[in-house]
Amino acid sequence: MLIGKVVGSVVATQKDEKLEGRKLLVVQVHNQQNKPLDQYVVAVDSVQAGPGDMILYATGSSARQTTVTEGRPCDAVVMAVVDSWDLGGANVYEKWS
Amino acid sequence: MYLARVTGRLVATQRYTGLDGVALQWIQPLDEDGKSMGDQMVACAAISSGPGDLVMFVDGREAAMACPVTFVPVDAAIVGFVEQAISKGVPIGRGAAGVS
């Protein structure tokens, strides 16, 4: 999975009907040092993530392995809201700090 | 599958159902010479690996099959703890010079 920050959402009333009722989040990709990259994805939310949340998202066919995206045209799904992570023992990100 | 070095750990209590109890770890994919290849990513740890370990991981949809519950949105999973890998006659695992 890759990490990213929810920076916005997408509203598309005219879209594939299989995507109706799915929350579409704009996610800016971050790297392991929590540096924002010049890259983004639009992902379907499956864990009630909101704007500003650091999240994990899965891409490819794995993204369709949720009750929200099964059998739907979706290749990116937000599957976790990140609390914290460390690299080699050094804290890189903490949600509460 | 690819070789990788586990580089860190990640905590996410709010996660998709079916993934509870699955450890999430940062991995750095390695090429056939044991050097870093590509960006780091977060993988589910199906085995008890930890930071610093040389492991083997699977990406794509098959990664979910390494998880306790298989119907989960997972696209990377650590499936092997590598004692040693020999590539082009050169060990790149524990036995290799300079690789802890």
Side-chain angles (χ1 to χ4, degrees):
Chain A
M1 286 68 71
L2 296 176
I3 216 150
K5 186 178 185 124
V6 176
V7 292
S9 61
V10 171
V11 175
T13 46
Q14 193 177 341
K15 58 177 177 277
D16 186 301
E17 76 275 1
K18 293 197 185 75
L19 287 179
E20 263 160 34
R22 269 78 193 150
K23 194 195 320 178
L24 302 173
L25 298 174
V26 178
V27 173
Q28 178 167 20
V29 184
H30 283 218
N31 70 6
Q32 68 275 7
Q33 308 295 349
N34 200 14
K35 183 169 96 58
L37 304 178
D38 192 10
Q39 217 181 329
Y40 76 96
V41 288
V42 175
V44 171
D45 176 36
S46 75
V47 281
Q48 295 76 44
D53 278 345
M54 285 301 292
I55 54 94
L56 276 183
Y57 67 97
T59 56
S61 301
S62 308
R64 285 187 290 104
Q65 297 189 152
T66 73
T67 50
V68 180
T69 56
E70 186 181 17
R72 300 174 193 279
C74 160
D75 66 355
V77 68
V78 173
M79 42 75 76
V81 175
V82 176
D83 295 327
S84 66
W85 79 80
D86 71 271
L87 290 175
N91 278 338
V92 175
Y93 169 79
E94 283 167 346
K95 186 174 180 178
W96 52 86
S97 67
Chain B
M1 275 82 75
Y2 292 99
L3 294 175
R5 174 79 60 191
V6 178
T7 56
R9 295 165 304 185
L10 183 130
V11 176
T13 44
Q14 191 178 336
R15 53 174 68 189
Y16 187 73
T17 54
L19 281 173
D20 17 354
V22 175
L24 294 167
Q25 297 182 350
W26 281 97
I27 57 172
Q28 169 60 66
L30 303 176
D31 64 14
E32 69 275 16
D33 302 321
K35 293 189 187 50
S36 297
M37 169 184 77
D39 303 328
Q40 295 196 22
M41 65 181 81
V42 176
C44 291
I47 59 167
S48 57
S49 52
D53 288 341
L54 182 67
V55 294
M56 184 172 69
F57 77 100
V58 58
D59 63 1
R61 185 175 185 168
E62 290 67 29
M65 296 180 190
C67 298
V69 173
T70 58
F71 187 65
V72 282
V74 165
D75 62 11
I78 297 169
V79 289
F81 182 88
V82 175
E83 272 83 24
Q84 187 178 64
I86 307 278
S87 166
K88 302 177 202 163
V90 175
I92 56 173
R94 198 143 321 284
V99 175
S100 61

